[in-house]
mmCIF file of all heavy atoms in Angstrom:
data_model
loop_
_atom_site.group_PDB
_atom_site.id
_atom_site.type_symbol
_atom_site.label_atom_id
_atom_site.label_comp_id
_atom_site.label_asym_id
_atom_site.label_seq_id
_atom_site.Cartn_x
_atom_site.Cartn_y
_atom_site.Cartn_z
ATOM 1 N N GLY A 190 4.182 24.224 8.988
ATOM 2 C CA GLY A 190 5.090 25.141 9.765
ATOM 3 C C GLY A 190 4.437 25.862 10.817
ATOM 4 O O GLY A 190 3.406 25.505 11.161
ATOM 5 N N LEU A 191 5.064 26.698 11.475
ATOM 6 C CA LEU A 191 4.567 27.448 12.758
ATOM 7 C C LEU A 191 3.606 28.485 12.337
ATOM 8 O O LEU A 191 3.666 29.001 11.212
ATOM 9 C CB LEU A 191 5.782 28.092 13.471
ATOM 10 C CG LEU A 191 6.910 26.998 13.927
ATOM 11 C CD1 LEU A 191 8.023 27.827 14.664
ATOM 12 C CD2 LEU A 191 6.278 26.025 14.894
ATOM 13 N N SER A 192 2.841 28.791 13.308
ATOM 14 C CA SER A 192 1.717 29.792 13.193
ATOM 15 C C SER A 192 1.837 30.794 14.317
ATOM 16 O O SER A 192 2.256 30.412 15.494
ATOM 17 C CB SER A 192 0.323 29.236 13.186
ATOM 18 O OG SER A 192 0.291 28.232 12.200
ATOM 19 N N ASP A 193 1.543 32.010 14.089
ATOM 20 C CA ASP A 193 1.512 32.947 15.260
ATOM 21 C C ASP A 193 0.197 32.887 16.040
ATOM 22 O O ASP A 193 -0.618 32.104 15.842
ATOM 23 C CB ASP A 193 1.796 34.450 14.699
ATOM 24 C CG ASP A 193 0.637 34.950 13.834
ATOM 25 O OD1 ASP A 193 -0.493 34.441 13.904
ATOM 26 O OD2 ASP A 193 0.878 35.981 13.107
ATOM 27 N N ALA A 194 -0.079 33.889 16.951
ATOM 28 C CA ALA A 194 -1.289 33.752 17.772
ATOM 29 C C ALA A 194 -2.558 34.022 16.971
ATOM 30 O O ALA A 194 -3.576 33.599 17.553
ATOM 31 C CB ALA A 194 -1.012 34.859 18.892
ATOM 32 N N GLN A 195 -2.503 34.494 15.867
ATOM 33 C CA GLN A 195 -3.589 34.671 15.108
ATOM 34 C C GLN A 195 -3.838 33.555 14.075
ATOM 35 O O GLN A 195 -4.686 33.598 13.047
ATOM 36 C CB GLN A 195 -3.545 36.033 14.334
ATOM 37 C CG GLN A 195 -3.926 37.325 15.086
ATOM 38 C CD GLN A 195 -2.720 37.554 16.132
ATOM 39 O OE1 GLN A 195 -1.554 37.603 15.667
ATOM 40 N NE2 GLN A 195 -2.998 37.959 17.281
ATOM 41 N N GLY A 196 -2.885 32.657 14.107
ATOM 42 C CA GLY A 196 -2.919 31.525 13.219
ATOM 43 C C GLY A 196 -2.234 31.736 11.829
ATOM 44 O O GLY A 196 -2.393 30.882 10.870
ATOM 45 N N GLN A 197 -1.604 32.869 11.800
ATOM 46 C CA GLN A 197 -0.945 33.149 10.388
ATOM 47 C C GLN A 197 0.527 32.547 10.520
ATOM 48 O O GLN A 197 1.079 32.412 11.460
ATOM 49 C CB GLN A 197 -0.658 34.791 10.313
ATOM 50 C CG GLN A 197 -2.014 35.399 10.164
ATOM 51 C CD GLN A 197 -2.903 34.935 9.046
ATOM 52 O OE1 GLN A 197 -2.401 34.774 7.899
ATOM 53 N NE2 GLN A 197 -4.192 34.546 9.360
ATOM 54 N N PRO A 198 0.905 31.912 9.212
ATOM 55 C CA PRO A 198 2.139 31.278 9.267
ATOM 56 C C PRO A 198 3.381 32.194 9.569
ATOM 57 O O PRO A 198 3.305 33.524 9.215
ATOM 58 C CB PRO A 198 2.277 30.959 7.707
ATOM 59 C CG PRO A 198 0.917 31.060 7.090
ATOM 60 C CD PRO A 198 0.260 32.102 7.980
ATOM 61 N N VAL A 199 4.324 31.763 10.315
ATOM 62 C CA VAL A 199 5.533 32.450 10.636
ATOM 63 C C VAL A 199 6.708 31.638 10.266
ATOM 64 O O VAL A 199 6.626 30.322 10.435
ATOM 65 C CB VAL A 199 5.558 32.952 12.165
ATOM 66 C CG1 VAL A 199 4.722 34.140 12.443
ATOM 67 C CG2 VAL A 199 5.291 31.843 13.042
ATOM 68 N N LYS A 200 7.762 32.240 9.859
ATOM 69 C CA LYS A 200 9.011 31.525 9.703
ATOM 70 C C LYS A 200 10.142 32.119 10.547
ATOM 71 O O LYS A 200 10.119 33.241 10.845
ATOM 72 C CB LYS A 200 9.479 31.558 8.111
ATOM 73 C CG LYS A 200 8.454 30.738 7.361
ATOM 74 C CD LYS A 200 9.102 30.328 6.007
ATOM 75 C CE LYS A 200 8.093 29.449 5.160
ATOM 76 N NZ LYS A 200 8.734 28.861 4.085
ATOM 77 N N TYR A 201 11.137 31.189 10.936
ATOM 78 C CA TYR A 201 12.286 31.690 11.549
ATOM 79 C C TYR A 201 13.447 31.855 10.510
ATOM 80 O O TYR A 201 13.541 31.031 9.585
ATOM 81 C CB TYR A 201 12.676 30.871 12.736
ATOM 82 C CG TYR A 201 12.573 29.402 12.465
ATOM 83 C CD1 TYR A 201 13.584 28.619 12.067
ATOM 84 C CD2 TYR A 201 11.357 28.707 12.793
ATOM 85 C CE1 TYR A 201 13.479 27.202 11.879
ATOM 86 C CE2 TYR A 201 11.269 27.345 12.665
ATOM 87 C CZ TYR A 201 12.423 26.651 12.207
ATOM 88 O OH TYR A 201 12.300 25.319 12.071
ATOM 89 N N ASP A 202 14.441 32.869 10.791
ATOM 90 C CA ASP A 202 15.602 32.921 9.931
ATOM 91 C C ASP A 202 16.604 32.030 10.339
ATOM 92 O O ASP A 202 17.383 31.537 9.533
ATOM 93 C CB ASP A 202 15.914 34.424 9.894
ATOM 94 C CG ASP A 202 15.007 35.277 9.351
ATOM 95 O OD1 ASP A 202 14.632 35.161 8.018
ATOM 96 O OD2 ASP A 202 14.386 36.133 9.969
ATOM 97 N N LYS A 203 16.713 31.836 11.554
ATOM 98 C CA LYS A 203 17.621 30.937 12.242
ATOM 99 C C LYS A 203 17.138 30.288 13.540
ATOM 100 O O LYS A 203 16.122 30.923 14.089
ATOM 101 C CB LYS A 203 18.989 31.369 12.356
ATOM 102 C CG LYS A 203 19.157 32.656 13.223
ATOM 103 C CD LYS A 203 20.456 33.385 12.969
ATOM 104 C CE LYS A 203 21.627 32.421 12.925
ATOM 105 N NZ LYS A 203 22.847 33.334 12.617
ATOM 106 N N ALA A 204 17.539 29.170 13.943
ATOM 107 C CA ALA A 204 17.017 28.556 15.130
ATOM 108 C C ALA A 204 18.249 27.965 16.036
ATOM 109 O O ALA A 204 19.359 27.498 15.290
ATOM 110 C CB ALA A 204 16.186 27.412 14.799
ATOM 111 N N TYR A 205 18.260 28.155 17.235
ATOM 112 C CA TYR A 205 19.326 27.609 18.130
ATOM 113 C C TYR A 205 18.650 26.760 19.187
ATOM 114 O O TYR A 205 17.597 26.861 19.686
ATOM 115 C CB TYR A 205 19.955 28.713 18.831
ATOM 116 C CG TYR A 205 20.929 29.557 17.970
ATOM 117 C CD1 TYR A 205 20.649 30.995 17.698
ATOM 118 C CD2 TYR A 205 22.082 28.997 17.373
ATOM 119 C CE1 TYR A 205 21.567 31.599 16.985
ATOM 120 C CE2 TYR A 205 22.976 29.626 16.656
ATOM 121 C CZ TYR A 205 22.723 31.019 16.430
ATOM 122 O OH TYR A 205 23.657 31.815 15.521
ATOM 123 N N TYR A 206 19.462 25.732 19.631
ATOM 124 C CA TYR A 206 18.975 24.771 20.579
ATOM 125 C C TYR A 206 19.920 24.862 21.828
ATOM 126 O O TYR A 206 20.989 24.638 21.836
ATOM 127 C CB TYR A 206 18.985 23.288 20.040
ATOM 128 C CG TYR A 206 18.784 22.217 21.097
ATOM 129 C CD1 TYR A 206 17.908 22.558 22.204
ATOM 130 C CD2 TYR A 206 19.427 21.019 21.094
ATOM 131 C CE1 TYR A 206 17.788 21.566 23.304
ATOM 132 C CE2 TYR A 206 19.247 20.112 22.221
ATOM 133 C CZ TYR A 206 18.424 20.416 23.221
ATOM 134 O OH TYR A 206 18.201 19.572 24.249
ATOM 135 N N ILE A 207 19.283 25.417 22.879
ATOM 136 C CA ILE A 207 19.939 25.543 24.225
ATOM 137 C C ILE A 207 19.474 24.489 25.186
ATOM 138 O O ILE A 207 18.282 24.499 25.483
ATOM 139 C CB ILE A 207 19.668 27.121 24.659
ATOM 140 C CG1 ILE A 207 20.368 27.991 23.840
ATOM 141 C CG2 ILE A 207 20.285 27.207 26.060
ATOM 142 C CD1 ILE A 207 19.700 29.506 23.582
ATOM 143 N N GLY A 208 20.207 23.662 25.681
ATOM 144 C CA GLY A 208 19.949 22.606 26.619
ATOM 145 C C GLY A 208 20.452 23.074 27.976
ATOM 146 O O GLY A 208 21.760 23.135 28.165
ATOM 147 N N GLU A 209 19.684 23.317 28.984
ATOM 148 C CA GLU A 209 20.104 23.669 30.246
ATOM 149 C C GLU A 209 20.263 22.483 31.051
ATOM 150 O O GLU A 209 19.434 21.495 31.018
ATOM 151 C CB GLU A 209 18.988 24.642 30.894
ATOM 152 C CG GLU A 209 19.510 25.112 32.252
ATOM 153 C CD GLU A 209 18.609 26.263 32.769
ATOM 154 O OE1 GLU A 209 18.004 26.998 32.007
ATOM 155 O OE2 GLU A 209 18.494 26.387 34.088
ATOM 156 N N GLN A 210 21.236 22.283 31.788
ATOM 157 C CA GLN A 210 21.649 21.214 32.719
ATOM 158 C C GLN A 210 21.986 21.524 33.962
ATOM 159 O O GLN A 210 22.873 22.320 34.327
ATOM 160 C CB GLN A 210 22.838 20.458 31.872
ATOM 161 C CG GLN A 210 23.265 19.195 32.560
ATOM 162 C CD GLN A 210 22.251 18.106 32.488
ATOM 163 O OE1 GLN A 210 21.734 17.855 31.345
ATOM 164 N NE2 GLN A 210 21.824 17.589 33.543
ATOM 165 N N ASP A 211 21.399 20.821 34.947
ATOM 166 C CA ASP A 211 21.778 20.931 36.372
ATOM 167 C C ASP A 211 22.762 19.764 36.620
ATOM 168 O O ASP A 211 22.445 18.622 36.437
ATOM 169 C CB ASP A 211 20.583 20.795 37.206
ATOM 170 C CG ASP A 211 19.522 19.771 36.955
ATOM 171 O OD1 ASP A 211 19.516 19.332 35.547
ATOM 172 O OD2 ASP A 211 18.986 19.097 37.881
ATOM 173 N N PHE A 212 24.053 20.137 37.263
ATOM 174 C CA PHE A 212 24.999 19.122 37.622
ATOM 175 C C PHE A 212 24.975 19.103 39.112
ATOM 176 O O PHE A 212 24.859 20.250 39.820
ATOM 177 C CB PHE A 212 26.399 19.432 37.098
ATOM 178 C CG PHE A 212 26.459 19.223 35.575
ATOM 179 C CD1 PHE A 212 27.112 20.207 34.780
ATOM 180 C CD2 PHE A 212 26.039 18.089 35.014
ATOM 181 C CE1 PHE A 212 27.228 19.959 33.398
ATOM 182 C CE2 PHE A 212 26.216 17.806 33.537
ATOM 183 C CZ PHE A 212 26.738 18.823 32.827
ATOM 184 N N TYR A 213 25.390 17.977 39.707
ATOM 185 C CA TYR A 213 25.422 17.889 41.294
ATOM 186 C C TYR A 213 26.939 17.373 41.559
ATOM 187 O O TYR A 213 26.930 16.021 41.882
ATOM 188 C CB TYR A 213 24.353 16.968 41.722
ATOM 189 C CG TYR A 213 23.055 17.500 41.350
ATOM 190 C CD1 TYR A 213 22.485 17.365 40.063
ATOM 191 C CD2 TYR A 213 22.297 18.116 42.276
ATOM 192 C CE1 TYR A 213 21.274 17.908 39.831
ATOM 193 C CE2 TYR A 213 20.925 18.729 41.968
ATOM 194 C CZ TYR A 213 20.457 18.617 40.644
ATOM 195 O OH TYR A 213 19.278 19.158 40.335
#
Side-chain angles (χ1 to χ4, degrees):
Chain A
L191 299 179
S192 302
D193 68 16
Q195 285 73 43
Q197 298 302 308
V199 286
K200 292 209 176 185
Y201 42 89
D202 296 298
K203 57 199 316 181
Y205 285 117
Y206 169 35
I207 293 152
E209 182 171 333
Q210 180 68 54
D211 44 330
F212 289 133
Y213 302 80

